[in-house]
Amino acid sequence: MTTVYIALGSNLENPGLQLQRAVDDIDSLPEVELSGCSKLYISEPVGPEGQPDYCNAAVRIETTLEPLALLDAMQAIENDHGRVRTVHWGPRTLDLDIILYGDDIIESKRLTVPHYQMHVRNFVLCPLLDIAPDLTLPDGRKAAALLAEVGTAGIEVVATKYPWL
Ligand code: ROI
């Protein structure tokens, strides 16, 4: 079993509900055990302007799936939620990013872990810290220290305990 952190994001078609359903979908995978779920956040979009605010959250899972099999499973859930890949950094119904996979460092064509922008995104760090206050990255950096550098501007809690809605 490997402990994995997944970040969830949505800014289309009832984002809060998209995330809640996505948590249920992840929990339903036979090779996955859900071991933590963050608060639900609303956050200002990073990237192109003029897109709706995002809902963001994170989960911790224990899984026997290898990284690329887990990526396949996450992309299948994204596709089930009607995700269409169009504009780079544009609006999306559901984004499921593998942030950390144990202490592994993965740099393959399809997958980079730790997620290459986790250290600069408060909408990833805030929910991660809900479920893992002492979280340390494979390179030894503390998630709490990274959030202190980034700050919490543009992000707010909308619900504390899962199920959020
Ligand atoms: N901005 C916010 N606030 N939340 C996200 O989940 C998110 N996801 C993205 C981009 C477009 C970079 N911006 C985001 O992929």
Side-chain angles (χ1 to χ4, degrees), residues 63-129:
T63 188
T64 52
L65 290 174
E66 295 298 319
L68 289 181
L70 181 62
L71 179 64
D72 286 339
M74 295 302 107
Q75 291 185 345
I77 294 174
E78 289 177 344
N79 293 338
D80 281 350
H81 284 244
R83 167 90 180 256
V84 181
R85 288 165 194 274
T86 47
V87 188
H88 183 59
W89 281 24
R92 62 273 316 276
T93 46
L94 182 63
D95 205 8
L96 298 177
D97 287 336
I98 301 173
I99 301 296
L100 294 169
Y101 185 97
D103 276 330
D104 285 14
I105 293 171
I106 304 166
E107 279 168 37
S108 71
K109 201 164 159 233
R110 289 185 62 207
L111 185 62
T112 302
V113 175
H115 189 279
Y116 75 116
Q117 290 210 311
M118 69 169 294
H119 60 289
V120 294
R121 292 182 168 180
N122 61 11
F123 61 82
V124 172
L125 293 167
C126 274
L128 275 184
L129 285 161

Side-chain angles (χ1 to χ4, degrees), residues 8-11 42-48 51-56 83 88-92 95 97 117 121-124 154:
L8 299 83
S10 168
N11 73 342
I42 188 157
S43 66
E44 289 170 8
V46 169
Q51 51 177 321
D53 284 351
Y54 279 78
C55 277
N56 286 110
R83 167 90 180 256
H88 183 59
W89 281 24
R92 62 273 316 276
D95 205 8
D97 287 336
Q117 290 210 311
R121 292 182 168 180
N122 61 11
F123 61 82
V124 172

